[in-house]
PDB file of all heavy atoms in Angstrom:
ATOM      1  N   GLY A  41     -18.128  -7.075 -25.618  1.00  0.00           N
ATOM      2  CA  GLY A  41     -19.497  -7.431 -25.221  1.00  0.00           C
ATOM      3  C   GLY A  41     -19.694  -8.933 -25.167  1.00  0.00           C
ATOM      4  O   GLY A  41     -18.952  -9.643 -24.494  1.00  0.00           O
ATOM      5  N   LEU A  69     -26.214  -3.510 -38.628  1.00  0.00           N
ATOM      6  CA  LEU A  69     -25.643  -2.560 -37.654  1.00  0.00           C
ATOM      7  C   LEU A  69     -26.111  -1.136 -37.963  1.00  0.00           C
ATOM      8  O   LEU A  69     -26.503  -0.384 -37.055  1.00  0.00           O
ATOM      9  CB  LEU A  69     -24.111  -2.634 -37.665  1.00  0.00           C
ATOM     10  CG  LEU A  69     -23.431  -1.712 -36.648  1.00  0.00           C
ATOM     11  CD1 LEU A  69     -23.672  -2.179 -35.221  1.00  0.00           C
ATOM     12  CD2 LEU A  69     -21.924  -1.602 -36.905  1.00  0.00           C
ATOM     13  N   ALA A 129     -10.508  27.694 -33.278  1.00  0.00           N
ATOM     14  CA  ALA A 129     -11.200  28.642 -32.403  1.00  0.00           C
ATOM     15  C   ALA A 129     -11.077  28.149 -30.968  1.00  0.00           C
ATOM     16  O   ALA A 129     -10.966  26.940 -30.711  1.00  0.00           O
ATOM     17  CB  ALA A 129     -12.666  28.758 -32.794  1.00  0.00           C
ATOM     18  N   VAL A 157     -17.156  19.785 -32.033  1.00  0.00           N
ATOM     19  CA  VAL A 157     -16.788  18.473 -31.473  1.00  0.00           C
ATOM     20  C   VAL A 157     -17.525  18.321 -30.139  1.00  0.00           C
ATOM     21  O   VAL A 157     -17.478  19.229 -29.310  1.00  0.00           O
ATOM     22  CB  VAL A 157     -15.259  18.383 -31.242  1.00  0.00           C
ATOM     23  CG1 VAL A 157     -14.881  17.030 -30.640  1.00  0.00           C
ATOM     24  CG2 VAL A 157     -14.499  18.624 -32.540  1.00  0.00           C
ATOM     25  N   THR A 232     -25.188  10.631 -51.353  1.00  0.00           N
ATOM     26  CA  THR A 232     -23.843  11.024 -51.834  1.00  0.00           C
ATOM     27  C   THR A 232     -22.763  10.325 -51.009  1.00  0.00           C
ATOM     28  O   THR A 232     -21.779   9.816 -51.550  1.00  0.00           O
ATOM     29  CB  THR A 232     -23.675  12.561 -51.711  1.00  0.00           C
ATOM     30  OG1 THR A 232     -24.751  13.174 -52.391  1.00  0.00           O
ATOM     31  CG2 THR A 232     -22.364  13.045 -52.272  1.00  0.00           C
ATOM     32  N   VAL A 275     -22.047   1.492 -19.648  1.00  0.00           N
ATOM     33  CA  VAL A 275     -22.319   2.835 -19.119  1.00  0.00           C
ATOM     34  C   VAL A 275     -22.515   2.758 -17.602  1.00  0.00           C
ATOM     35  O   VAL A 275     -21.996   3.603 -16.849  1.00  0.00           O
ATOM     36  CB  VAL A 275     -23.554   3.467 -19.814  1.00  0.00           C
ATOM     37  CG1 VAL A 275     -23.919   4.796 -19.170  1.00  0.00           C
ATOM     38  CG2 VAL A 275     -23.286   3.655 -21.307  1.00  0.00           C
ATOM     39  N   ALA A 380     -12.135  -2.819 -16.322  1.00  0.00           N
ATOM     40  CA  ALA A 380     -10.846  -3.170 -15.702  1.00  0.00           C
ATOM     41  C   ALA A 380     -10.575  -2.360 -14.431  1.00  0.00           C
ATOM     42  O   ALA A 380      -9.642  -2.645 -13.688  1.00  0.00           O
ATOM     43  CB  ALA A 380      -9.716  -2.948 -16.701  1.00  0.00           C
TER      44      ALA A 380
END
Side-chain angles (χ1 to χ4, degrees):
L69 182 69
V157 179
T232 306
V275 174

